[in-house]
Amino acid sequence: MATRRQFFKTGFENNKLAKRLYRQVGKAIGDFNLIEDGDKVMVCLSGGKDSFAMLDILLGLQARAPVHFDIIAVNLDQNLPGFPKDILPVYLKEKNIPFHIETQDTYSIIRRLIPENKPVCSLCSRLRRGILYRVAGELGATKIALGHHRDDILETFFLNLFFGAKIKSMPPKLKTNDGKHIVIRPLAYVKETDIEHFAEIRQYPVFPKNLCGAKENQQRRQIKTLIREWEKRYPGRIENIFSSLSTVVPSHLMDNRLYDFDSLTSDENDTDRFLPETTDLIE
């Protein structure tokens, strides 16, 4: 049985966690102008811990924000076997949160087009994305909020680096290819372990894992394990890597689409102002 001191210590730590999450989400909103006055934010609620936490935090910020914005939670029912249809409507009604459940049988489409035991995530993602974009237009949403967190962004960065030969990740804010929608990721600064702890505290009715039956991407699982191992063995390494995504120096990379190397010439009159390139130990 927990002692009185342990009880208050746990409450104090939980309160610190909540404040940290609100601060990090608020900072992401401010840094990237994710939400503006008059926005209608469509929060994509998958039933996982990340989207539950995102909705919860945005509702808290909505109550104290200096600007007015509306929130509507949207869930896509893809007709998956065993999909818990009643969980989200009950939860959202109890919380008095405006919501919309969109039902589209993408599961049958995927099963028809993808052979058994073949990866389905790519097609499923495209179908889901198209439906959500359409729903956003029908609901008049000005922003589409996805629950990707810091670790998702880092995993995507390393996946592109290791397997795609690209320096690319998930931006906190992007315009869709057709130019009609703005997608935002308010959890961009938030660690997955903090979300896990927060979800336990808040006791969200999280859906069962692997509801769709698809196996987790092997490459992404390897990257996730690598990141967790680095965090344990090398404190600060992951924070530095994540910070590097915001401090890009195109002139010290090799993409001539980002930096005009062809026009780069020396300034003979000002050469004394610069140290030799070899003195820069960190390139």
Side-chain angles (χ1 to χ4, degrees), residues 102-163:
E102 180 72 13
T103 302
Q104 294 288 329
D105 186 8
T106 63
Y107 180 78
S108 296
I109 296 173
I110 293 167
R111 284 293 151 224
R112 187 175 73 250
L113 297 178
I114 305 294
E116 193 73 26
N117 296 322
K118 293 293 183 179
V120 302
C121 296
S122 179
L123 175 59
C124 181
S125 177
R126 291 199 302 273
L127 291 172
R128 187 170 62 248
R129 188 164 56 243
I131 293 168
L132 290 174
Y133 290 170
R134 173 181 59 77
V135 172
E138 293 173 355
L139 295 176
T142 56
K143 302 286 173 59
I144 302 172
L146 303 180
H148 298 122
H149 44 69
R150 186 205 70 170
D151 296 62
D152 289 322
I153 292 172
L154 282 170
E155 288 167 17
T156 303
F157 169 74
F158 283 117
L159 282 169
N160 280 304
L161 186 67
F162 293 164
F163 306 107

Side-chain angles (χ1 to χ4, degrees), residues 205-247:
V206 176
F207 287 5
K209 290 185 177 181
N210 298 324
L211 191 62
C212 65
K215 295 181 180 180
E216 185 182 9
N217 181 287
Q218 179 69 23
Q219 293 173 340
R220 183 170 289 274
R221 186 162 64 245
Q222 291 174 1
I223 297 298
K224 184 187 290 288
T225 301
L226 177 67
I227 290 174
R228 292 287 178 100
E229 181 66 20
W230 277 352
E231 280 199 297
K232 291 179 181 178
R233 295 182 60 185
Y234 310 105
R237 172 177 290 187
I238 296 304
E239 284 72 18
N240 286 339
I241 295 173
F242 186 72
S243 295
S244 74
L245 298 180
S246 302
T247 51

Side-chain angles (χ1 to χ4, degrees), residues 64-283:
R64 65 185 78 169
V67 298
H68 171 78
F69 63 94
D70 295 318
I71 289 175
I72 181 167
V74 171
N75 172 256
L76 174 58
D77 178 355
Q78 299 178 257
N79 200 34
L80 300 174
F83 181 79
K85 294 179 179 290
D86 296 332
I87 289 180
L88 285 179
V90 170
Y91 174 83
L92 295 167
K93 286 176 182 177
E94 286 180 351
K95 301 288 185 180
N96 198 30
I97 300 170
F99 71 94
H100 171 76
I101 306 293
E102 180 72 13
T103 302
Q104 294 288 329
D105 186 8
T106 63
Y107 180 78
S108 296
I109 296 173
I110 293 167
R111 284 293 151 224
R112 187 175 73 250
L113 297 178
I114 305 294
E116 193 73 26
N117 296 322
K118 293 293 183 179
V120 302
C121 296
S122 179
L123 175 59
C124 181
S125 177
R126 291 199 302 273
L127 291 172
R128 187 170 62 248
R129 188 164 56 243
I131 293 168
L132 290 174
Y133 290 170
R134 173 181 59 77
V135 172
E138 293 173 355
L139 295 176
T142 56
K143 302 286 173 59
I144 302 172
L146 303 180
H148 298 122
H149 44 69
R150 186 205 70 170
D151 296 62
D152 289 322
I153 292 172
L154 282 170
E155 288 167 17
T156 303
F157 169 74
F158 283 117
L159 282 169
N160 280 304
L161 186 67
F162 293 164
F163 306 107
K166 294 179 182 177
I167 297 180
K168 176 183 176 182
S169 188
M170 293 177 171
K173 183 180 184 181
L174 64 86
K175 182 187 291 187
T176 56
N177 291 335
D178 60 9
K180 295 180 179 180
H181 306 286
I182 297 294
V183 177
I184 61 174
R185 295 183 170 97
L187 301 180
Y189 289 153
V190 180
K191 295 168 57 176
E192 184 176 23
T193 51
D194 281 348
I195 295 175
E196 291 171 350
H197 188 194
F198 192 65
E200 292 176 1
I201 296 168
R202 305 291 280 185
Q203 296 187 323
Y204 300 130
V206 176
F207 287 5
K209 290 185 177 181
N210 298 324
L211 191 62
C212 65
K215 295 181 180 180
E216 185 182 9
N217 181 287
Q218 179 69 23
Q219 293 173 340
R220 183 170 289 274
R221 186 162 64 245
Q222 291 174 1
I223 297 298
K224 184 187 290 288
T225 301
L226 177 67
I227 290 174
R228 292 287 178 100
E229 181 66 20
W230 277 352
E231 280 199 297
K232 291 179 181 178
R233 295 182 60 185
Y234 310 105
R237 172 177 290 187
I238 296 304
E239 284 72 18
N240 286 339
I241 295 173
F242 186 72
S243 295
S244 74
L245 298 180
S246 302
T247 51
V248 180
V249 185
S251 64
H252 282 51
L253 295 175
M254 298 175 64
D255 193 336
N256 55 22
R257 294 167 299 179
L258 297 179
Y259 190 78
D260 187 8
F261 291 100
D262 290 342
S263 301
L264 193 64
T265 59
S266 64
D267 189 340
E268 295 179 354
N269 297 323
D270 284 336
T271 53
D272 290 339
R273 291 195 301 115
F274 299 97
L275 293 173
E277 190 73 19
T278 54
T279 61
D280 192 352
L281 299 181
I282 302 179
E283 283 292 335

Side-chain angles (χ1 to χ4, degrees), residues 8-25 57 64 190 194 197-198 201:
F8 282 108
K9 181 179 179 181
T10 299
F12 176 74
E13 293 298 328
N14 292 347
N15 188 49
K16 279 179 57 179
L17 172 62
K19 287 183 177 180
R20 181 164 68 250
L21 296 186
Y22 280 113
R23 183 177 67 253
Q24 290 172 336
V25 173
I57 295 167
R64 65 185 78 169
V190 180
D194 281 348
H197 188 194
F198 192 65
I201 296 168

